[in-house]
Amino acid sequence: MAEPTQTWLTQEAFDRLNGELEQLSVAGRKEIAARIEAAREEGDLKENGGYHAAKDEQGKMEARIRDLEELLKHVVVGEAPQASGVVEIGTVVTATIFGDEERFLLGNRELANGSDLDVYSAESPLGAAILGRKVGDEVSYSAPTGKEIAVKIVAVDTYAG
């Protein structure tokens, strides 16, 4: 089994995710259990839409709790790395891809919550291809379809949040 990768987050993102985990783990579980119990008391569970909806919501909530626990278990909290012209996790990259200039954050989607930036993980084909590259470097990566995609690093900026 592969080792889990560490995820870099700002203190603000870490606090927000930790708060969400706490809320879901305590109040969220109590609330959904009460809704399931109330729906159960209505009788026949086969045709009880409220019961099935509550059970579906419970499944989604438990999956989110597991995701947050795993993410926070392997997190590194700190300030965004200062851009030095090298693509690092936590930097904003401007690159030419298929002739179009794109600007995105290399990191975890949870970091950019509320931002209009696209986010690519360092483990994605694009992220793995550009990690450690410098402004001006040209690389290519294989898309899931097998097509080779050329990328040119145009700029690397510090993530401002």
Side-chain angles (χ1 to χ4, degrees), residues 117-135:
L117 279 175
D118 287 334
V119 180
Y120 292 95
S121 79
E123 293 81 26
S124 70
L126 172 60
I130 65 172
L131 188 62
R133 301 294 181 155
K134 297 178 179 136
V135 172

Side-chain angles (χ1 to χ4, degrees), residues 107-123:
N108 186 289
R109 65 184 162 85
E110 298 292 355
L111 180 62
N113 187 27
S115 168
D116 60 350
L117 279 175
D118 287 334
V119 180
Y120 292 95
S121 79
E123 293 81 26

Side-chain angles (χ1 to χ4, degrees), residues 101-114:
E101 194 166 281
E102 293 189 36
R103 191 167 189 268
F104 55 89
L105 173 66
L106 186 66
N108 186 289
R109 65 184 162 85
E110 298 292 355
L111 180 62
N113 187 27

Side-chain angles (χ1 to χ4, degrees), residues 39-132:
R40 240 189 216 130
E41 291 173 3
E42 293 175 11
D44 185 12
L45 297 181
K46 281 192 226 173
E47 296 185 24
N48 186 329
Y51 173 79
H52 293 291
K55 289 295 281 183
D56 285 348
E57 188 175 328
Q58 180 186 39
K60 290 175 186 173
M61 184 179 70
E62 290 298 329
R64 178 66 176 160
I65 288 170
R66 283 190 305 275
D67 288 347
L68 287 170
E69 287 174 339
E70 188 64 22
L71 174 70
L72 294 173
K73 198 183 316 180
H74 304 288
V75 74
V76 175
V77 178
E79 294 299 313
Q82 291 298 309
S84 63
V86 177
V87 177
E88 298 178 67
I89 295 173
T91 56
V92 176
V93 179
T94 304
T96 304
I97 305 171
F98 276 134
D100 294 326
E101 194 166 281
E102 293 189 36
R103 191 167 189 268
F104 55 89
L105 173 66
L106 186 66
N108 186 289
R109 65 184 162 85
E110 298 292 355
L111 180 62
N113 187 27
S115 168
D116 60 350
L117 279 175
D118 287 334
V119 180
Y120 292 95
S121 79
E123 293 81 26
S124 70
L126 172 60
I130 65 172
L131 188 62

